[in-house]
Amino acid sequence: MILVDEPLWPGRGCLWSHLVSDVSFEELHVFAEMLGAPRRAFDRDHYDIPEHRFASALWLGATLLPSRELAARLRIVGLRRPKHLAPRRVPPARL
């Protein structure tokens, strides 16, 4: 199931929502593509979508849930990838 929270997160001059799947990342990527969200909007376990795509996400069938519930659903199904557990990027060596 595709889930979305309300666009409450400020950044780059607009508000943003989180778009997730409680089934698979494959389902999430397919839905995001239908929504017109670029792949670069994918961040570990969710897509950040701008407020102007929120209504379209609902129209395409996303279920509106509070942010905490989105994270809880991801944890329950094992798809949560918190930032503090992400592998650290090693900067390239300078010559």
Side-chain angles (χ1 to χ4, degrees), residues 3-95:
L3 311 168
V4 67
D5 60 5
E6 289 190 52
L8 300 173
W9 310 96
R12 298 185 200 158
C14 71
L15 297 175
W16 297 79
S17 292
H18 299 107
L19 186 72
V20 305
S21 168
D22 65 356
V23 174
S24 70
F25 292 125
E26 182 179 341
E27 178 189 45
L28 178 58
H29 294 311
V30 168
F31 190 92
E33 187 174 333
M34 289 189 311
L35 186 60
R39 186 64 180 250
R40 70 180 178 275
F42 182 68
D43 185 17
R44 294 180 319 277
D45 57 11
H46 68 279
Y47 276 83
D48 293 317
I49 59 167
E51 59 190 325
H52 70 268
R53 294 192 195 275
F54 177 71
S56 296
L58 295 176
W59 185 83
L60 286 170
T63 300
L64 178 61
L65 288 177
S67 301
R68 289 180 187 247
E69 182 66 23
L70 291 185
R73 293 265 188 112
L74 289 179
R75 278 191 301 276
I76 289 168
V77 298
L79 294 175
R80 182 74 171 115
R81 294 179 177 168
K83 188 178 277 189
H84 72 278
L85 295 179
R88 291 186 181 188
R89 289 186 182 165
V90 177
R94 292 188 177 181
L95 300 176

